Amino acid sequence: MSLVLNHLKYVESHEWVRREDDGTVTIGITDHAQDLLGDVVFVELPEIGTELVKDDQAGVVESVKAASDIYAPISGKVVAINENLEASPDLVNTSPYEEGWFFVLEPTNPSQIDQLLDAEAYEQEIA
């Protein structure tokens, strides 16, 4: 059974979104997604300063099984990326909600977060 955290928001494409105290949002992929992918061997992240529109491709995660696109769950400007993933892409497998985050967005329309799935709806999505 995959770990789904109650304080996060989710999208059907298996990204999670966490609101930070400074108004930014941190984005990664879910425990369910990393389990489906298997051992992650490479992560391509967006460049800092990139303006993303909701549902834009934001990067790629490659595993021993497949490569999958990462999508922007909301619109915003990339203000940070997880540089640790370059040397240790396995953090996505070992800590998908903490050390394995992908990037941080400064939202252009924070109300888009409210339209994402809550934990219960995401659990139903992956059941």
Side-chain angles (χ1 to χ4, degrees), residues 2-6 10 31-32 97 118-120 122-123 126:
S2 299
L3 178 63
V4 178
L5 303 179
N6 286 332
Y10 301 90
D31 183 50
H32 177 76
Y97 296 115
D118 62 17
E120 183 177 340
Y122 182 69
E123 285 177 328
I126 62 174

Side-chain angles (χ1 to χ4, degrees), residues 44-115:
E44 179 185 311
L45 298 173
E47 291 185 22
I48 293 175
T50 302
E51 297 277 349
L52 295 171
V53 174
K54 183 179 185 305
D55 299 326
D56 274 357
Q57 181 184 348
V60 176
V61 59
E62 293 182 22
S63 72
V64 293
K65 292 182 181 175
S68 295
D69 293 334
I70 304 164
Y71 297 98
I74 62 170
S75 300
K77 180 179 177 182
V78 178
V79 294
I81 59 171
N82 187 351
E83 295 177 354
N84 293 330
L85 293 179
E86 186 174 315
S88 302
D90 60 310
L91 291 172
V92 176
N93 296 113
T94 60
S95 182
Y97 296 115
E98 295 297 330
E99 296 178 49
W101 60 275
F102 287 173
F103 58 94
V104 176
L105 281 181
E106 184 177 276
T108 53
N109 183 0
S111 67
Q112 289 178 327
I113 299 169
D114 298 329
Q115 299 164 10

